[in-house]
Amino acid sequence: MSKEGICMKLKIAVLSGDGVGPEVTEQAVKALDAVGDYFGHEFSFHEALVGATAINKTGSPLPQETIDICKSCNSVLFGAIGDPKFDNDPNTKVYPEQGLLGIRKELELYQNIRPVIVYNYLLNNSPLKPENARGTNILIYRELTGGIFFGNKGVSEDGQTAFDACTYTVEEIERIAHAAFKSAQGRKKKLTLVDKSNVLETSRLWRRTVIAMSKEYPNVNVELMYVDQAAAKIILNPKSFDVILTANLIGDFISEEASSLVGSKGIMASASLGDKYSLFEPIHGSYPVATNKGIANPIGAILSAAMLLEHFKLITEAKAIKSAIMKAMELNLTTPDLNNLKPLSTEKIGDFIADYICNPDLTNFNIENIYLGQSTII
Ligand code: IPM
Ligand code: MN
């Protein structure tokens, strides 16, 4: 029985994918296992192939078996996809990325939610001046299953012309906009729609739709901003944003830009939600040069596991993970991206976080033992 009295059973598909995906996902699973033990929940994990790893084993970046496993589970924990082997061959017909795009479409994960938070512990890691970075807390809602990513595309027979069409329907805009409005209501009540409506017809449709919807959310202050202007403002005054709502491609760029403010992309988490399914993923990607070196930051993956728990209303449990992460940051127990003087390995950070989840009242840490990979308790 859990501390709250209710045992939650969750089946979680684990798609750890390529590059550093498996090593960081392992730490997220470790954290969830610790939460399961401490709070008395039953989490089971079901591995499936995706990305380059899946292509190498099956020929497909997203085998049907993987889709079936995801659909039979309550949620999906995703690692990363991508392999330079495929990037360097422009004629290849299969890409690891098709695995990620495919699973988003199959599970209808139309909302991609990316929190951009500058933690005080990492103020000196941000490329911004501390006074500009301090207090940044943006929640980006990126549309994830429409727009130019999924429109008609093609190349002419002579190979001299190519096109990618961008299409949106009011329905596609409304369903993510409702989620973003509701989220803004629980925050600072400000929603910034980022678009290119001075040029693009789809952006004008976003504006008309969001303006019409704003009447349903009278307590939310709606701000309309062109993407070029927003790109500058995210760097100059990130604190001026609360919730950002935007289309697929713009959201890809803007969220990547914003993630560079927090000190390390390695700590960025995300949730991709649909009406039926959900997927949680660090945003750092496969980081091929770091693979199996123990230097990949597992915090993005572990925070994504905390977002998974929040999604299932396990708020205290999610807080337990976040407190452990904060403790690791406070004690400077981090990977070389944040601490190149005395970095800790991916695995040891995972061990510390799992230990701390099970021993939250701990105050006496034997830091040397943590570096040696021994218990954190003494
Ligand atoms: C992301 C990634 C993906 C995207 C790629 C890998 C297809 O960049 O999740 O932001 O562009 O959506
Ligand atoms: Mn991206």
Side-chain angles (χ1 to χ4, degrees):
M1 210 28 87
S2 82
K3 300 250 173 321
E4 308 285 314
I6 301 158
C7 168
M8 176 81 111
K9 288 197 173 93
L10 284 180
K11 281 179 75 179
I12 300 168
V14 178
L15 276 55
S16 50
D18 308 327
V20 299
E23 51 201 290
V24 296
T25 309
E26 197 183 316
Q27 312 317 315
V29 168
K30 220 183 255 175
L32 287 172
D33 267 334
V35 166
D37 284 350
Y38 187 72
F39 291 90
H41 301 300
E42 279 175 33
F43 302 146
S44 63
F45 300 97
H46 308 267
E47 287 182 22
L49 296 170
V50 74
T53 316
I55 299 176
N56 294 337
K57 290 200 177 142
T58 70
S60 160
L62 183 64
Q64 184 59 41
E65 195 190 351
T66 297
I67 299 170
D68 295 342
I69 291 176
C70 291
K71 289 189 175 171
S72 74
C73 285
N74 299 97
S75 189
V76 181
L77 207 52
F78 197 95
I81 47 105
D83 186 324
K85 181 173 113 186
F86 296 91
D87 299 344
N88 299 333
D89 178 4
N91 295 318
T92 180
K93 290 273 179 288
V94 281
Y95 299 93
E97 286 74 8
Q98 289 162 340
L100 182 54
L101 297 174
I103 199 74
R104 288 173 180 169
K105 201 70 178 171
E106 277 289 339
L107 304 183
E108 285 182 76
L109 305 170
Y110 60 86
Q111 308 171 32
N112 184 231
I113 306 167
R114 297 185 169 182
V116 180
I117 301 171
V118 176
Y119 297 104
N120 282 342
Y121 294 123
L122 303 185
L123 266 185
N124 292 326
N125 297 90
S126 173
L128 296 188
K129 291 191 191 106
E131 65 267 30
N132 292 342
R134 185 180 280 112
T136 296
N137 188 332
I138 311 174
L139 198 58
I140 300 178
Y141 275 75
R142 165 188 175 192
E143 201 289 328
L144 203 60
T145 50
I148 196 167
F149 271 58
F150 292 95
N152 284 335
K153 49 189 87 227
V155 187
S156 66
E157 246 167 56
D158 64 4
Q160 297 302 297
T161 312
F163 72 96
D164 294 278
C166 182
T167 310
Y168 269 112
T169 65
V170 167
E171 200 189 337
E172 282 174 315
I173 298 167
E174 277 179 351
R175 59 183 183 173
I176 182 160
H178 275 303
F181 268 111
K182 284 183 186 138
S183 163
Q185 282 183 320
R187 294 172 50 100
K188 290 190 215 136
K189 302 184 175 51
K190 181 172 175 190
L191 178 80
T192 306
L193 173 66
V194 174
D195 64 26
K196 189 68 187 170
S197 61
N198 48 349
V199 178
L200 302 178
E201 207 53 66
T202 42
S203 284
R204 288 195 266 270
L205 187 65
W206 274 81
R207 275 207 181 191
R208 283 198 298 276
T209 308
V210 168
I211 290 169
M213 288 172 71
S214 64
K215 296 182 184 69
E216 284 175 62
Y217 300 93
N219 61 347
V220 176
N221 167 21
V222 176
E223 177 181 52
L224 307 166
M225 200 179 286
Y226 298 141
V227 58
D228 40 3
Q229 209 189 336
K233 205 163 177 195
I234 284 174
I235 300 292
L236 297 174
N237 188 7
K239 265 177 289 200
S240 67
F241 293 98
D242 179 19
V243 175
I244 289 180
L245 168 66
T246 191
N248 203 343
L249 185 66
I250 296 177
D252 185 30
F253 299 167
I254 285 290
S255 62
E256 183 78 24
E257 181 195 15
S259 73
S260 63
L261 304 182
V262 305
S264 167
K265 203 177 162 185
I267 65 164
M268 289 279 295
S270 76
S272 299
L273 310 180
D275 294 332
K276 239 170 136 179
Y277 302 106
S278 56
L279 177 150
F280 300 84
E281 176 196 3
I283 79 153
H284 52 61
S286 62
Y287 193 11
V289 292
T291 307
N292 291 327
K293 293 192 179 143
I295 58 172
N297 196 328
I299 300 295
I302 300 173
L303 262 180
S304 300
M307 290 183 86
L308 183 154
L309 296 175
E310 277 166 1
H311 180 67
F312 290 97
K313 309 267 181 284
L314 297 174
I315 306 299
T316 313
E317 290 80 344
K319 275 199 188 128
I321 293 191
K322 288 183 183 173
S323 306
I325 290 173
M326 290 307 132
K327 189 51 88 177
M329 287 187 194
E330 184 193 328
L331 298 174
N332 209 9
L333 300 172
T334 50
T335 37
D337 49 323
L338 289 173
N339 166 6
N340 50 22
L341 288 177
K342 206 178 173 200
L344 203 59
S345 72
T346 310
E347 195 183 353
K348 284 184 185 146
I349 291 170
D351 290 343
F352 171 80
I353 286 173
D355 257 4
Y356 191 79
I357 290 168
C358 297
N359 300 282
D361 303 322
L362 216 62
T363 45
N364 272 340
F365 299 93
N366 187 327
I367 302 286
E368 282 318 308
N369 276 356
I370 297 171
Y371 278 92
L372 291 170
Q374 291 165 1
S375 164
T376 56
I377 314 225
I378 324 150

